[in-house]
Amino acid sequence: MKPIVIAVAGKGGTGKTTTCGLIIQHLADTGKGPILAVDADPNSNLNEVLGVDVELTLGEIREKLQFQDSFADELPPNMTKQEYTEFMFGDALIEGDDYDLLVMGRTQGAGCYCYINGVLKAQIDKYQSGYRFLVVDNEAGLEHISRGLLPRIDILLLVSDASRRGVQAAGRAAEMVRDQKLNPKVMKLIVNRAPEGRLDEGVLAEIEKQGLDLLGVLPQDETIYQYDAAGRPSSTVPKDNPVRKALSDILAKIDL
């Protein structure tokens, strides 16, 4: 079974991760599981939106393997280093009732993210066949998509706030996707945090200028803000919350 791959992307501060978490919760609530949620942003906080405790990230495993001199002393009896490594990678998959979660995490060592990127790709390749949906919260620059960490992209959702600069950033991301011929089957824009759920003429004009396909608009919402300020998972706001209702209507347009 090949999962439907949904990639969510947008610059920091647009509410990208909150939107991603609400998408995952929507899929779970509407019986579209099993779902694998992947936090591919080094600034990991998708788990906080979902209300999931993370004990181990792929980045932390990378640090242990590469920089801890005493790693060999931790090996259980009759287990090779390779076997123990695979065991730890498996332990990083957080299994839940509605969805499972895999967190890349931040790497602290010197050098680039090449190793941990490879680890993340290997884990996605390993697990993907067991899920109906693969939902990935990407870093702002779309590096994980451009480096081929995902098997493909079926649906790419670009998230912007209700500002011209946010829309311009989404436009640049869309241009990069086209330049690199990533060819998602669907590429749409969701505008988040719009006052009263409406966009003014200037923002609408910028969306058209950038050649973006507007899927829908999510309203600015006090409850989402209060949940975030109190450290409560945003995905658990009531189902009749205006943002959740608006998102449900938006996703219905692409049969989700």
Side-chain angles (χ1 to χ4, degrees), residues 7-22:
V8 182
K11 74 181 185 70
T14 61
K16 167 185 65 76
T17 297
T18 296
T19 302
C20 185
L22 291 172

Side-chain angles (χ1 to χ4, degrees), residues 18 20 44 53 76 128 143-144 159 172 180 209 214 240:
T18 296
C20 185
S44 307
D53 292 329
Q128 62 168 309
E143 281 85 355
H144 290 114
V159 179
R172 288 191 293 271
Q180 297 193 15
K209 178 181 177 182
L214 178 63
D240 62 355

Side-chain angles (χ1 to χ4, degrees), residues 46-54 94 99 101 233:
L46 180 60
N47 66 295
E48 296 175 4
V49 172
L50 295 172
V52 177
D53 292 329
V54 175
I94 304 163
Y99 42 77
L101 175 63

Side-chain angles (χ1 to χ4, degrees), residues 3-9 23 27 133-136 138 145 150 152-158 177 182-190 215 250-251 253-256:
I4 296 172
V5 180
I6 303 173
V8 182
I23 291 170
L27 294 174
F133 282 91
L134 174 62
V135 184
V136 185
N138 292 275
I145 295 177
L150 304 183
R152 69 192 174 284
I153 309 169
D154 296 305
I155 300 171
L156 175 58
L157 299 176
L158 301 172
V177 169
L182 299 177
N183 300 321
K185 296 177 182 177
V186 174
M187 182 167 66
K188 303 283 188 179
L189 172 69
I190 295 176
L215 182 62
I250 288 170
L251 296 178
K253 297 177 183 178
I254 50 175
D255 298 322
L256 292 180

